Amino acid sequence: MDETFSIAITVVAAYVVGATPFGLIIGKTVAGIDIRDAGSGNIGATNVGRTLGAKWGVVVLLLDATKGLLPTLLLPLCLKSGEIQNRELLGVIAGVSTIVGHMFPFWLGFRGGKGVATSLGVVVVLAPWGSLAGLCGFALTVFLTRIIALSSMIAAIAFGVCQMIILAPKPFATEHIALAIFSLAIPLLIIVRHRSNIGRLIRGEEKPFSFASRKPAEN
């Protein structure tokens, strides 16, 4: 298959999968609400958990992570890229496209989630040791602060640092340059997407996370 065509198919397919707004779908299906009108207005797992309770927050977390994992894992295999570096490149392209789709879904006016769960699914495929570092950073920060936004940014930073160490001493060598750029760009993008949270953290206004204390009203 022509490499340009493979890349084009990867970008479009991964973006469409990433743009599937599971938080919005769950909110409408379970409680008949638009999750964008509740809590922080975000379509991600954190806001769903705050609004609908722990069970549905976990469901959205798993769905958003899965939509990051599957395109990154399967598209390079389905498109039968021959060289190892090409498979890695297609995996990175699929992962980035999926994350961008989640953050900027075209059918929601390009206003989506912050990409943490979807990024987790992507990096489990592309960089398992880096993803483990990110998970450890997230878990430790949640344990100490219960602030999800801060924990997410710490996880992104931990992932990026770990990956650059793994790829050292030549992280930008030709065979791994796509993964190296990904390992710097995606954490930066996640931090930028949390800029409103950063403002609240600086002002001391960011609230510790807690699940909804009651079930949403039934339809």
Side-chain angles (χ1 to χ4, degrees):
M1 184 179 290
D2 178 75
E3 184 173 305
T4 302
F5 184 70
S6 296
I7 291 173
I9 291 294
T10 298
V11 169
V12 173
Y15 176 87
V16 170
V17 172
T20 306
F22 285 118
L24 184 65
I25 293 169
I26 292 295
K28 288 186 178 293
T29 303
V30 171
I33 65 171
D34 188 329
I35 199 68
R36 294 171 296 179
D37 297 329
S40 67
N42 193 269
I43 65 170
T46 301
N47 193 41
V48 172
R50 280 194 171 113
T51 304
L52 303 182
K55 177 176 71 174
W56 296 113
V58 171
V59 168
V60 172
L61 173 67
L62 292 175
L63 287 171
D64 282 348
T66 300
K67 77 180 183 184
L69 184 149
L70 291 181
T72 308
L73 178 65
L74 297 180
L75 283 173
L77 297 176
C78 293
L79 295 173
K80 302 183 186 302
S81 177
E83 299 294 330
I84 291 178
Q85 57 263 39
N86 287 346
R87 290 201 299 272
E88 182 176 280
L89 175 61
L90 278 181
V92 170
I93 291 171
V96 170
S97 300
T98 308
I99 294 167
V100 170
H102 177 79
M103 290 180 173
F104 308 103
F106 65 91
W107 39 50
L108 298 182
F110 301 99
R111 297 178 63 185
K114 294 179 180 177
V116 177
T118 303
S119 296
L120 172 61
V122 170
V123 300
V124 164
V125 177
L126 294 180
W129 288 110
S131 66
L132 179 60
L135 281 171
C136 289
F138 181 88
L140 178 61
T141 311
V142 165
F143 176 76
L144 294 175
T145 69
R146 289 180 47 237
I147 297 177
I148 298 298
L150 178 61
S151 303
S152 299
M153 290 186 284
I154 293 296
I157 293 169
F159 165 78
V161 170
C162 181
Q163 269 307 109
M164 297 311 288
I165 291 172
I166 290 171
L167 295 175
K170 295 181 179 180
F172 296 101
T174 302
E175 63 269 24
H176 293 305
I177 188 169
L179 183 57
I181 293 173
F182 171 91
S183 301
L184 296 176
I186 294 302
L188 179 60
L189 184 56
I190 288 174
I191 291 170
V192 170
R193 293 287 290 171
H194 283 83
R195 59 191 180 278
S196 60
N197 303 89
I198 293 172
R200 288 194 294 272
L201 284 166
I202 292 172
R203 297 190 299 270
E205 297 172 357
E206 187 75 3
K207 296 179 180 178
F209 179 80
S210 61
F211 286 113
S213 58
R214 59 184 178 85
K215 293 182 180 179
E218 299 291 339
N219 290 334

